[in-house]
Each structure stands twice: as structure tokens, then as C-alpha cells.
Amino acid sequence: QVQLAESGGGLVQAGGSLRLSCAASGRTSSVFHMGWFRQAPGKEREFVAALYWSGRSTQYAESVKGRFTLSRDNAKNTVYLEMNSLKPEDTAVYYCAASRGAGNWYYVRTYNDWGQGTQVTVSS
């Protein structure tokens, strides 16, 4: 099992920036994808971005392309989501997730382990 701990959420004005962190521990050698999802009140959890744990490929939802950037620090087993030009519609609880096998990284069901989530609120 992989344990994930998110941090970095908060309240920001529209146009502002936040950086989320996701620290992984446990069986990190088994991780295939690391992804970020978000869930707004009354809505389903949706894909935001993901990367291959052992490679360089990344993928972003259309709604965040050009504004959000994934990066990682292998030494710290930590993935970062840099969020710029934030909009009120980005308001949600953001979850970090890890998959321990190949699968479509857009799908919630691909991921085996989840963090507790961190709230991001963007005011207009």
C-alpha cells in the first residue's frame, strides 16, 4: 500500500497561484501513475493531471492545460501541482492518487491509493 499526504491548499483570489504537494510513503516502488483529481460540491471526482512515476510523460485535463504544471522530486517521493491563473471554477477538494498498475490515467478506478484531500478555494 502507498500512503499519500497532500498539502498546500487554501484560499486565493482569482488569477492567483497555489502549489499543492503530495508526499508518498510506503510501497512507492510499486507506483505506476501519480495523479491529481478534484471534486467540487455536488459533482463527481474529475481528473486534473497525472504523470508516470518512472518516466517523464504527463497529462492534463483540457480545463487546466497551460495553467497547471506537474513536477516531482524523486528524492523526496513528492509530486507537486503548480496552479496558476486560478479561476473560481477551480474551487474543489484536490486529491492525490497512486496507481499500482497500468490503466487509463483519466479514470478514478485506475488508482488504488488516495490521500485525504486538500481544499482549494478561489474567490472572484
Side-chain angles (χ1 to χ4, degrees):
Q1 191 173 2
V2 178
Q3 291 78 45
L4 303 170
E6 303 102 332
S7 60
L11 173 64
V12 64
Q13 288 188 333
S17 300
L18 283 174
R19 188 176 79 156
L20 305 184
S21 300
C22 174
S25 60
R27 294 186 61 189
T28 56
S29 61
S30 65
V31 174
F32 194 85
H33 296 131
M34 287 287 286
W36 284 95
F37 286 75
R38 65 187 182 187
Q39 189 166 19
K43 294 188 176 181
E44 294 187 352
R45 194 168 295 191
E46 66 174 5
F47 172 80
V48 175
L51 53 75
Y52 281 115
W53 189 241
S54 60
R56 297 186 177 182
S57 292
T58 57
Q59 190 61 264
Y60 298 91
E62 285 297 323
S63 59
V64 307
K65 272 183 184 177
R67 300 188 298 122
F68 290 12
T69 304
L70 271 176
S71 63
R72 67 172 173 222
D73 184 331
N74 288 341
K76 295 182 178 180
N77 284 333
T78 299
V79 173
Y80 303 99
L81 183 67
E82 186 76 34
M83 306 186 295
N84 298 315
S85 302
L86 282 162
K87 305 174 182 180
E89 51 263 43
D90 293 318
T91 295
V93 177
Y94 283 69
Y95 296 92
C96 177
S99 73
R100 286 180 264 123
N104 190 316
W105 49 7
Y106 293 101
Y107 296 155
V108 169
R109 64 175 181 262
T110 297
Y111 297 83
N112 308 99
D113 303 294
W114 294 82
Q116 80 285 356
T118 186
Q119 177 70 48
V120 170
T121 303
V122 184
S123 63
S124 56

